[in-house]
Structures are given as structure tokens and as C-alpha cells.
Amino acid sequence: MMFYHALALTLLLSDSAAAFKVEPSGGKKERMLSAVNKNLSNVLAAGFISAATIMPLPGIAVAADSLVMGTPLETKLAAFGAASYPVFNSITDVSPLADKFLDLVDKKVKAPDAAELAQKGVDGLLAIPDSAITEYRGVLKQVVFSGVSSTNCVTLGGSGAAAAKLAASPAIKSVDSAKLDALKKKFTPANSAVPIKDGNICLPGSAAASEKLWVAQAELTLSMPKAEGAALVASIKKAGLQATRPALISVVPAAESVFSKNAEALKMVAAGKDVEPSVIATVKAGLL
């Protein structure tokens, strides 16, 4: 799960959407490419990443320096969580999109840069305060996955297979094994609270839980120390600039096979576009 967390963090921490976004002609293609970028982050974070997010419980004081709670970003992330909930629940197999993403990285991003991105992602995750992980474990059980178990959950189909493929990728394998072991140990308490069914991660049980998950994801990410956050952002930019317009367009068919084109999917895309400027501004303010 932490492999997916690292990947989702790279998408969230990008302070320049241009690094992952192209502007093709034609409204439909533009919407689909935005969906590729936002939906990939959604899939990886809303499902697998739920094992490593934090969300203050009602009644627990929020840190005065929080960059998320009580800000417009919190509202927009919650809206995205609600809009994405029915879309995630309709996915039967996310692996085609994960496969295409990994293929894109392998073919279009220089191996040393992909390795650096994975390494900086792991370093950033390891630098997140242990107190955030400890708090999150309780929130997982009491809020995000309240009432959810392996016997009654909806899973993100194909997430287990996709996780295994990512773990076996050259970029992840380039990371020092001791760091990967430390990362696994660090997040084990939170991961153990996330229901798993047939090898796939369970999704939150309601739109409200999904809202909290997305706000929590941002809280966790922005608790990363500035030094590690800045290094990760720089690595993202370097790798992202190597993904050319034709290369990104090639991901669209895989995205179309995973996500429908119905009104709910388009609503999620719109919510993603709405939150993007706030994410970029907050990252700049908090990590750079």
C-alpha cells in the first residue's frame, strides 16, 4: 500500500499541473486527459492510500498551523471526495490504467529520474511524523472505515495486482531495501486497520467517509517536512516534464476502460479541476 501512497503523493505534491497535463484540441480529449491525471491520483489514493491518511476526530483540536483544516482547500477536497465516491465504487478493474501508467514511466521517463522520484517519495513518507500515523490509525477504525469489513465492503478491483506490479517496478526496486522495510514498519499500524478482501483494498463505506479520506490525505501529505517536500516536488517536475503530449494521450484508452463517461465521472473531473489550484497554492505555501 505504501508504494501507491508514494505515487499518489507525487501527484498531489506537484506544484505545477503542467508537469502532468497537456492541452490537446477538442473539449472531449481535454476532459479525458484531465481525468487521466486526476483519476489516477484518485484511484491510488482513495483506495490504497486510505491506509496512510490522517483526519482529526471531532473534538480533537486541530493544529493552529494546519494548511488544510478550516481552509477552502478542505471544502474543495471534501467535494472531490463526495464526487469521486460513486465512480470508485463502479470500478471493476483498475489494473489496466496502472499498467499503462507504469509503461509510460518505463518508456518515457529516464530511469535515473524515475528512481530518484521513487527514492524521494519514500524519503518524504519516512519523514512524516509518527504521531500523524498513530492518530490516523484510530481515525481509520472510527471514521473512514467505520462499519466496513472484508465481509461487506466494496473493493477497488485489481488494486492488489496493481500494487504488486508497482512494487516490482525498476523505480521502486532502486530504493534501498532498508528504507522500504522501514516504510512498511512505519505504516503497519495504519495499514492493519484497512479492510482487505480477495487481495484488494476496501473502499470507504459512504460518500461522507470518502470526503474525510481526501481531506485526511492532504493533511498527511502536508505534514511532510519542508526539506523532504521540496526535494520531492523538484523530482516530480524533472520526471513530469519528460512525459510528452503524445505519451499522455496514449494513456486515455486505458483511462476510458476503467472510468465511465457518465455524468458522475464528469462531475468528478470537474471537482478535480476545481480543487487543483488550491492544492498547488497550498503546496507552494507549505512545502516550498
Side-chain angles (χ1 to χ4, degrees):
M1 295 178 196
M2 290 306 100
F3 299 129
Y4 279 105
H5 188 54
L7 182 53
L9 286 182
T10 66
L11 296 174
L12 179 60
L13 283 171
S14 175
D15 73 329
S16 173
F20 295 96
K21 187 175 181 181
V22 296
E23 300 293 342
S25 59
K28 291 184 178 179
K29 282 293 185 182
E30 182 176 0
R31 286 196 299 270
M32 279 309 304
L33 282 172
S34 293
V36 169
N37 299 326
K38 294 296 183 297
N39 292 348
L40 180 58
S41 179
N42 300 345
V43 168
L44 301 180
F48 327 125
I49 307 286
S50 58
T53 55
I54 66 172
M55 179 66 188
L57 287 167
I60 294 180
V62 177
D65 60 350
S66 172
L67 295 172
V68 180
M69 306 306 294
T71 71
L73 177 58
E74 179 188 7
T75 301
K76 292 179 183 294
L77 283 167
F80 181 80
S84 64
Y85 175 74
V87 180
F88 296 142
N89 276 263
S90 69
I91 294 174
T92 57
D93 186 7
V94 71
S95 59
L97 183 54
D99 289 344
K100 191 64 179 179
F101 180 84
L102 290 173
D103 183 64
L104 175 67
V105 172
D106 287 342
K107 293 181 177 179
K108 300 300 180 180
V109 179
K110 296 177 182 177
D113 295 336
E116 178 185 299
L117 177 56
Q119 292 159 11
K120 297 302 183 184
V122 170
D123 288 342
L125 288 168
L126 286 172
I128 290 174
D130 289 340
S131 59
I133 309 302
T134 299
E135 181 179 6
Y136 176 63
R137 183 183 186 281
V139 177
L140 280 178
K141 298 177 72 69
Q142 299 176 46
V143 181
V144 177
F145 290 107
S146 177
V148 178
S149 71
S150 59
T151 62
N152 64 13
C153 75
V154 174
T155 65
L156 189 61
S159 57
K165 291 177 182 178
L166 182 57
S169 68
I172 295 299
K173 284 189 171 183
S174 72
V175 180
D176 184 89
S177 61
K179 286 188 176 182
L180 293 178
D181 289 342
L183 186 63
K184 180 180 179 180
K185 181 179 180 180
K186 183 182 183 76
F187 283 96
T188 290
N191 289 346
S192 64
V194 180
I196 302 291
K197 180 180 180 180
D198 299 327
N200 297 315
I201 194 165
C202 292
L203 295 174
S206 67
S210 180
E211 291 179 15
K212 292 184 181 297
L213 181 62
W214 275 95
V215 174
Q217 175 65 41
E219 276 286 279
L220 178 71
T221 302
L222 292 170
S223 70
M224 186 182 296
K226 285 188 176 182
E228 287 80 4
L232 179 52
V233 167
S235 183
I236 290 167
K237 285 184 177 180
K238 185 189 299 184
L241 289 172
Q242 297 172 44
T244 63
R245 172 175 165 175
L248 288 175
I249 291 176
S250 71
V251 179
V252 172
E256 291 177 335
S257 74
V258 172
F259 300 96
S260 66
K261 300 180 183 179
N262 60 25
E264 290 179 334
L266 293 178
K267 183 178 180 180
M268 181 180 74
V269 172
K273 288 181 178 180
D274 187 47
V275 74
E276 182 183 51
S278 294
V279 170
I280 294 170
T282 304
V283 167
K284 287 181 176 179
L287 296 181
L288 300 181

